[in-house]
Amino acid sequence: MDSTQKISHLALDIGGTLIKLVYFSANGDYSEESRNGCSVVHGKLCFAKFETRKIDDCLEFIRFNILHHSGVQHPNGAAHDKLYVKATGGGAFKFADLFKEKLGILFDKEDEMHSLVGGVNFLLKTVPREAFTYLDGQKEFVEIDHNDLYPYLLVNIGSGVSMIKVDGDGKYERISGTSLGGGTFLGLGKLLTKCKSFDELLELSHHGNNRVIDMLVGDIYGGTDYSKIGLSSTAIASSFGKAISDGKELEDYQPEDVARSLLRMISNNIGQIAYLNALRFGLKRIFFGGFFIRGLEYTMDTISVAVHFWSRGEAKAMFLRHEGFLGALGAFTSYNNQSHNDIKSHQHTVQRAILNCSGDNLRHIPVYHSSFVDEEGITKACGCPLLPLKSHIKGPAPISEQDKTDIVDEAITFFRANVFFTNFDIKSPADKLLIYLTFYINVALKRLEGCRTLAVGTKAIINLGLEDIPVPGETGFPFPGLFSLPQSQDEADLFRNYLKQVREETSGRLLSVAYRANGTPNKWWLAFAKRKFINVVVL
């Protein structure tokens, strides 16, 4: 970790599907000032998320970033040698012993509903341009009047869905909910499409067409509207309804169409139930949060259309830019509610967050970094460590032990997560190589598009390997400024030969995951050919 980065006040929200983290980082621009008698530190609120089933990745992230040193001592005088961090959600109870054993930290547990409401109120009162509407492809930010904020309905879509009527700071009531939420989407999605993660399922749904499998009003009325009751021909009469009469089996449908229909079904259901509860209590403002939405335009539009339709335009669905971290933010701000001396010495951090928090200062960093941070004895070229490889391909890379992870393993393992990001916070020189390989995998997958057999795909990859490999300073190198320029022709040749070796090794291992054992394409990999890594267009 960068020695200039100052970390404090880790807070976690551990749900049934996802773990969300929030912590404060002063970074290298650390500065402090006095304002209204308070000590104010400038910096950023940082965010990360992990699947709960991969909790070991979360523990490693906390350990790697030394976040477990950012807790505080408990006010009750117990366990003076232990650090406490704020935690909420059911996992704060379920995994308390695991965090104590692995990281030596104890959880200061915060009520889940209280944290959710506290997180939303914090965002709406503090962060400019936090709330927005999305309807018919138009995103509009909503100006929040702090004097006319309450009451409102909060719909938090996690594994399940909770609907909370909020009447003020600390004044709220859970009035309804539904068991059909993000957990339902992922659970059914895994059974029906074989997707392994929430992000993978959402990405798949983006390419689907629900009308292939949903029964529409027009399917029943011969392509016409049912105008008497206000239903257009494109309205869904029955989710998955065409499967009744099509005479098809599951494998006859495209998984992206199934994913799209599933997403539409759950989103419609949540939007309708939310409006009915708002109507029940006379609420005009409905805020939707939770990681189910993830800023996906199709999901937001579906929920908005449902609210607009059932309310006849009288109610609006509103969304939050930091929708997925409400509970973690509420737990984070609860540090400021403690009165004991140890936390008083840290209160400036939370007050800083409230005073200086803005859209630019809130950032998500769920990027996976390379674990190769020890550079002792490693040769470098162009500022890049020539890391060992588990490879028999001729080249300058040292030979790694076969039972150990190398940089190619990391690049392939992290690819489907890292490819979603438009920036990458470099923490070690090995991260530069990880960035290069992530881009190369993106290029290779693009070449594999349309290759319907392993034999055809192998030929495409061999052709890719025959292309010239530029080094920094040469035309065609994808990341100007990422690596230093070679100081001699020998250094340029060394780096070129290493890149050639590591690319060939990556290609071989990529083919083993991009194609199944029977030689057919693995669509759960090839679908990612459409992604743009850090906004670099792959041709």
Side-chain angles (χ1 to χ4, degrees):
M1 162 171 272
D2 186 345
S3 61
T4 63
Q5 190 174 23
K6 300 180 184 297
I7 299 295
S8 66
H9 289 76
L10 169 66
L12 302 96
D13 177 8
I14 310 176
T17 306
L18 293 171
I19 303 171
K20 289 78 67 177
L21 285 74
V22 174
Y23 60 94
F24 172 67
S25 170
N27 286 330
D29 57 354
Y30 184 89
S31 63
E32 187 171 341
E33 65 178 87
S34 179
R35 185 183 302 178
N36 297 327
C38 297
S39 179
V40 180
V41 178
H42 298 271
K44 295 181 174 70
L45 283 178
C46 301
F47 300 79
K49 65 177 174 65
F50 300 87
E51 290 187 48
T52 306
R53 67 188 179 92
K54 297 181 179 178
I55 195 168
D56 286 342
D57 291 344
C58 176
L59 293 169
E60 183 58 30
F61 175 84
I62 293 173
R63 184 184 296 110
F64 180 80
N65 290 280
I66 324 179
L67 300 183
H68 53 304
H69 293 168
S70 64
V72 296
Q73 289 186 338
H74 199 273
N76 296 329
H80 284 294
D81 59 332
K82 296 291 185 181
L83 289 177
Y84 284 74
V85 300
K86 294 290 185 179
T88 189
F93 296 87
K94 183 176 180 179
F95 298 110
D97 290 341
L98 180 64
F99 276 76
K100 179 181 178 181
E101 175 189 349
K102 298 293 186 180
L103 300 177
I105 58 176
L106 303 177
F107 285 160
D108 187 5
K109 303 177 184 70
E110 293 290 328
D111 178 76
E112 184 174 358
M113 293 297 163
H114 188 80
S115 295
L116 281 172
V117 174
V120 177
N121 287 341
F122 168 76
L123 289 171
L124 294 177
K125 292 180 178 181
T126 308
V127 182
R129 295 165 66 86
E130 174 64 30
F132 62 92
T133 60
Y134 191 93
L135 186 62
D136 297 329
Q138 298 297 315
K139 180 178 180 179
E140 294 185 6
F141 286 99
V142 178
E143 195 71 34
I144 300 296
D145 183 354
H146 297 171
N147 297 318
D148 188 30
L149 174 59
Y150 309 110
Y152 65 81
L153 181 67
L154 170 61
V155 182
N156 188 64
I157 313 171
S159 299
V161 183
S162 287
M163 301 185 185
I164 307 167
K165 178 175 175 282
V166 181
D167 292 305
D169 288 327
K171 298 178 182 178
Y172 58 89
E173 177 187 3
R174 186 183 188 276
I175 58 174
S176 187
T178 172
S179 62
L180 305 182
T184 313
F185 176 63
L186 180 56
L188 283 176
K190 289 179 69 174
L191 293 174
L192 295 173
T193 71
K194 308 304 181 185
C195 281
K196 301 299 183 184
S197 70
F198 206 101
D199 286 327
E200 192 177 352
L201 187 59
L202 280 178
E203 174 65 19
L204 186 69
S205 71
H206 183 69
H207 303 290
N209 178 9
N210 68 292
R211 297 183 183 187
V212 172
I213 193 169
D214 287 344
M215 183 182 293
L216 309 183
V217 169
D219 296 323
I220 301 172
Y221 282 85
T224 64
D225 299 339
Y226 187 3
S227 54
K228 185 175 181 179
I229 61 173
L231 291 176
S232 70
S233 62
T234 57
I236 297 174
S238 175
S239 295
F240 290 87
K242 283 183 180 174
I244 299 172
S245 56
D246 277 351
K248 297 179 179 179
E249 300 296 330
L250 176 60
E251 55 267 22
D252 296 323
Y253 292 99
Q254 292 298 313
E256 54 265 35
D257 298 334
V258 174
R260 184 81 159 199
S261 178
L262 183 60
L263 180 64
R264 188 77 182 250
M265 178 182 74
I266 293 175
S267 300
N268 264 327
N269 184 64
I270 292 171
Q272 182 177 2
I273 295 175
Y275 168 67
L276 292 176
N277 277 283
L279 178 66
R280 175 184 168 199
F281 289 94
L283 306 174
K284 299 296 183 183
R285 285 182 291 265
I286 310 174
F287 293 101
F288 290 84
F291 254 117
F292 173 75
I293 300 170
R294 302 199 182 192
L296 191 66
E297 295 174 354
Y298 184 75
T299 306
M300 294 188 293
D301 195 63
T302 301
I303 291 173
S304 295
V305 167
V307 171
H308 183 81
F309 176 83
W310 291 107
S311 71
R312 301 185 185 276
E314 293 185 4
K316 287 185 176 182
M318 288 184 277
F319 305 94
L320 303 167
R321 290 170 55 208
H322 299 89
E323 62 205 0
F325 294 92
L326 306 181
L329 274 168
F332 175 86
T333 58
S334 70
Y335 277 112
N336 200 40
N337 296 327
Q338 306 288 346
S339 60
H340 54 84
N341 291 333
D342 184 73
I343 291 184
K344 277 186 177 180
S345 67
H346 295 274
Q347 278 189 357
H348 65 276
T349 298
V350 182
Q351 290 167 349
R352 179 230 59 86
I354 295 174
L355 288 170
N356 283 339
C357 183
S358 70
D360 293 334
N361 277 348
L362 289 164
R363 63 186 177 114
H364 302 257
I365 51 169
V367 172
Y368 286 93
H369 294 273
S370 174
S371 62
F372 294 97
V373 295
D374 184 4
E375 302 172 48
E376 186 176 352
I378 299 294
T379 301
K380 282 187 176 182
C382 299
C384 176
L386 307 187
L387 297 172
L389 299 176
K390 296 183 294 187
S391 175
H392 298 294
I393 297 171
K394 185 178 179 181
I399 301 298
S400 173
E401 295 179 24
Q402 292 297 311
D403 60 345
K404 290 188 176 181
T405 297
D406 65 6
I407 188 67
V408 175
D409 289 329
E410 288 188 335
I412 293 175
T413 300
F414 298 155
F415 173 78
R416 288 186 290 183
N418 284 350
V419 75
F420 281 93
F421 303 111
T422 57
N423 53 62
F424 198 112
D425 183 22
I426 296 172
K427 294 194 172 183
S428 72
D431 272 350
K432 298 179 181 181
L433 185 55
L434 185 61
I435 290 171
Y436 181 90
L437 289 179
T438 302
F439 173 75
Y440 176 71
I441 293 171
N442 203 190
V443 172
L445 288 175
K446 191 71 176 177
R447 299 296 177 88
L448 292 174
E449 273 193 309
C451 298
R452 308 310 300 169
T453 66
L454 175 59
V456 176
T458 300
K459 184 177 179 180
I461 290 298
I462 290 174
N463 290 335
L464 176 60
L466 295 175
E467 296 179 5
D468 291 336
I469 301 175
V471 296
E474 295 180 351
T475 302
F477 191 76
F479 300 107
L482 180 63
F483 299 97
S484 57
L485 297 178
Q487 299 303 302
S488 65
Q489 188 59 47
D490 286 344
E491 185 178 12
D493 291 342
L494 175 62
F495 194 36
R496 195 188 319 275
N497 289 334
Y498 181 78
L499 291 181
K500 184 177 187 298
Q501 183 184 9
V502 76
R503 282 165 58 127
E504 289 184 14
E505 184 63 35
T506 302
S507 295
R509 296 188 211 176
L510 180 62
L511 285 170
S512 69
V513 296
Y515 290 87
R516 297 186 175 93
N518 62 3
T520 59
N522 184 342
K523 61 183 68 180
W524 317 123
W525 266 92
L526 294 183
F528 286 83
K530 296 178 171 60
R531 301 302 307 181
K532 287 193 305 182
F533 176 52
I534 55 179
N535 285 330
V536 177
V537 178
V538 178
L539 301 176

